[in-house]
Amino acid sequence: MPTKRDRDKVSNAVIRRLPRYYRRLDELHRGGVERISSNALAKSMNLTASQIRQDLSYFGGFGQQGYGYHVETLRDKVAEILGMTSGHKAVVLGCGNLGRALLLNFHFAQYGVQLAAAFDTNPELVGTSIGAVPVLDVAMTEEYIRENGIDIAVLTVPQQAAEAVARMVIGAGVKGIWNFTNMELNIQTPGITVEDVHFADSLLALSYLISDQ
Amino acid sequence: MPTKRDRDKVSNAVIRRLPRYYRRLDELHRGGVERISSNALAKSMNLTASQIRQDLSYFGGFGQQGYGYHVETLRDKVAEILGMTSGHKAVVLGCGNLGRALLLNFHFAQYGVQLAAAFDTNPELVGTSIGAVPVLDVAMTEEYIRENGIDIAVLTVPQQAAEAVARMVIGAGVKGIWNFTNMELNIQTPGITVEDVHFADSLLALSYLISDQ
DNA sequence: TAGATTGTTAATCGATTAACAATC
DNA sequence: TAGATTGTTAATCGATTAACAATC
């Protein structure tokens, strides 16, 4: 397992492939496949065998010459690399449609993230549960994050609240913000990671790709 | 404006930056900024001036020496490049929480996409409207797409239906699939673009980045 | 005009691919 | 053992950055 220093050398391109490796390996495992070569894995993912071996080698040697990789073992290694076994804890900020959709349909636990609570300003929602997750008053957010060691904030608040809520949860101690607000958060705090899910960027890329073809 | 052939030379990295340019330029314009140099734009986006000039030069010369770029003009050019003025039309397949969230909160029109209809299997939903968009029976999908010249299908159906629905809408003539099912669609049809929105990949990347720091 | 800034060509950097000795 | 396949080093390719003549 690499140390902090090693991790810094891993390029973004590699990081973005890791979840795909996990996904594919999990599928293969569930499909009963026990072992696979970098070549076969590459073909099934539209990558090259070199790339896969290169990528994995940042984190260790998980294969065996003449055999390839044991699918389940490699999947578990990748899960560990991805922090799926680190016991991350998340809260959802904002229970509008998107927040609800995530609370009801997205299986955080499947990715090693414990979804502890949701927060909203609406007094009619506070005190209820959405998909077994309690909805608390937004005024409690800071205290809750601090006391429960929450490290991920899922930001599904309205745009005008985004920046302020982001600063608040950072102050309370989260390490990462999963940002669904479609806003560029102006966060430069060292040690804080913002992962943007920009629906609009994705749709516009699609729009570009289907235009003038 | 580049021809089909020119477009093929544009790298994915550039394509993914175009929506960000649009977003930033629109913000600047709304903020009353009339002109900007590649240098200033770069600083505000964490890019380099060279990169911006290089990126834009794939599509034409939109600036002026000694002056820079006229913000509104450039924004409109980027919008055109992105296909925002092409009159794309979309339908939403599946009106679960995610489909609803998009129908109610995502402003397709703002990105030049007309959201024409939504489809679901649930007879209680069929005939109603969600956010001014009519919900039709899924059995009507093919006919509707064909007759209304729909070119984008927003895929928010359950995983087990994903592949079949994708093939159906391709058969009916869409050019692009905006895939929210968190499934790898096995689509190799030439001329069809699949744009994946993998929540899980995004969360796992965040999980990686906040681990062992 | 002088200063600023573009669009483009050349140089650099980093990521992907190829090759191969090591070895299961 | 012989064949297969890894992990790693070297070669290649592509994207980013730097430089600068053109020119507003």
Side-chain angles (χ1 to χ4, degrees):
Chain A
M1 232 11 65
T3 62
K4 185 187 182 214
R5 194 129 302 278
D6 291 326
R7 283 200 160 225
D8 290 347
K9 287 184 206 134
V10 179
S11 76
N12 196 51
V14 175
I15 296 173
R16 297 292 153 180
R17 279 194 292 271
L18 289 172
R20 294 187 57 208
Y21 290 139
Y22 176 79
R23 208 145 33 85
R24 190 77 254 274
L25 289 164
D26 193 45
E27 264 170 37
L28 288 166
H29 174 63
R30 280 188 281 105
V33 179
E34 267 190 25
R35 71 174 201 87
I36 195 163
S37 66
S38 56
N39 207 271
L41 185 58
K43 280 219 175 84
S44 83
M45 295 182 68
N46 268 106
L47 300 172
T48 66
S50 276
Q51 193 168 33
I52 289 180
R53 296 205 297 276
Q54 189 83 271
D55 284 358
L56 294 175
S57 74
Y58 281 101
F59 303 99
F62 304 127
Q64 202 171 302
Q65 285 101 324
Y67 173 87
Y69 300 87
H70 183 71
V71 171
E72 189 177 12
T73 308
L74 183 58
R75 181 202 62 177
D76 292 347
K77 285 287 178 193
V78 174
E80 199 182 333
I81 293 163
L82 282 168
M84 291 171 72
T85 57
S86 307
H88 291 309
K89 293 166 89 175
V91 293
V92 169
L93 284 309
C95 299
N97 284 282
L98 193 53
R100 293 180 87 80
L102 289 170
L103 284 162
L104 291 167
N105 299 128
F106 188 77
H107 300 115
F108 286 83
Q110 200 176 313
Y111 306 104
V113 175
Q114 187 199 328
L115 187 48
F119 294 87
D120 205 282
T121 49
N122 182 349
E124 295 197 2
L125 277 180
V126 173
T128 68
S129 286
I130 302 177
V133 176
V135 181
L136 309 179
D137 192 297
V138 74
M140 307 283 295
T141 315
E142 267 193 275
E143 191 187 334
Y144 188 93
I145 288 174
R146 228 183 284 276
E147 289 187 355
N148 293 277
I150 302 298
D151 41 19
I152 297 175
V154 183
L155 209 61
T156 48
V157 297
Q159 285 208 351
Q160 62 272 21
E163 193 89 31
V165 173
R167 298 198 178 281
M168 189 249 285
V169 295
I170 289 171
V174 303
K175 290 191 211 149
I177 295 180
W178 201 17
N179 175 28
F180 283 86
T181 65
N182 205 28
M183 276 202 74
E184 210 81 58
L185 297 176
N186 202 12
I187 303 289
Q188 313 281 34
T189 324
I192 302 295
T193 306
V194 176
E195 167 74 14
D196 294 308
V197 182
H198 277 311
F199 286 7
D201 290 11
S202 173
L203 178 62
L204 289 176
L206 178 60
S207 172
Y208 172 88
L209 291 166
I210 65 172
S211 298
D212 288 352
Q213 289 190 345
Chain B
M1 239 356 73
T3 63
K4 187 189 177 201
R5 193 127 307 276
D6 291 326
R7 284 200 159 225
D8 290 349
K9 288 185 206 132
V10 179
S11 75
N12 196 51
V14 175
I15 296 172
R16 297 292 154 181
R17 279 194 292 270
L18 290 172
R20 293 187 56 209
Y21 291 140
Y22 176 79
R23 208 145 30 85
R24 190 77 255 274
L25 290 163
D26 192 44
E27 266 171 36
L28 288 166
H29 174 63
R30 281 189 281 105
V33 180
E34 267 190 26
R35 70 172 202 89
I36 195 163
S37 67
S38 57
N39 207 271
L41 186 58
K43 280 217 175 85
S44 83
M45 295 183 68
N46 267 106
L47 301 172
T48 65
S50 276
Q51 194 167 34
I52 289 180
R53 295 204 298 276
Q54 189 83 270
D55 285 357
L56 294 176
S57 74
Y58 280 101
F59 304 98
F62 305 127
Q64 203 170 299
Q65 285 101 325
Y67 174 88
Y69 300 87
H70 184 71
V71 172
E72 188 177 13
T73 308
L74 184 58
R75 181 203 60 177
D76 292 346
K77 285 288 179 193
V78 175
E80 200 182 332
I81 293 163
L82 282 168
M84 291 171 72
T85 57
S86 307
H88 291 308
K89 293 166 87 176
V91 293
V92 168
L93 284 309
C95 300
N97 284 282
L98 193 53
R100 294 181 85 80
L102 289 170
L103 285 161
L104 292 167
N105 299 129
F106 187 76
H107 300 115
F108 287 84
Q110 200 176 311
Y111 306 105
V113 175
Q114 187 198 330
L115 187 48
F119 295 87
D120 206 284
T121 50
N122 182 349
E124 297 197 0
L125 277 180
V126 172
T128 68
S129 286
I130 302 177
V133 176
V135 181
L136 309 178
D137 192 295
V138 74
M140 307 284 295
T141 315
E142 266 192 276
E143 192 187 332
Y144 188 93
I145 288 173
R146 227 183 285 276
E147 289 187 356
N148 293 277
I150 302 297
D151 41 19
I152 297 175
V154 183
L155 209 61
T156 47
V157 298
Q159 286 208 347
Q160 62 272 20
E163 193 88 31
V165 173
R167 296 197 180 283
M168 189 249 284
V169 295
I170 289 171
V174 304
K175 291 191 209 146
I177 295 180
W178 200 19
N179 176 28
F180 284 86
T181 65
N182 205 28
M183 274 201 75
E184 211 79 61
L185 297 176
N186 202 12
I187 305 287
Q188 314 279 33
T189 323
I192 303 295
T193 306
V194 177
E195 168 74 15
D196 295 307
V197 181
H198 277 311
F199 287 6
D201 290 11
S202 173
L203 178 62
L204 289 176
L206 178 60
S207 172
Y208 172 88
L209 291 165
I210 65 172
S211 298
D212 287 352
Q213 289 191 342

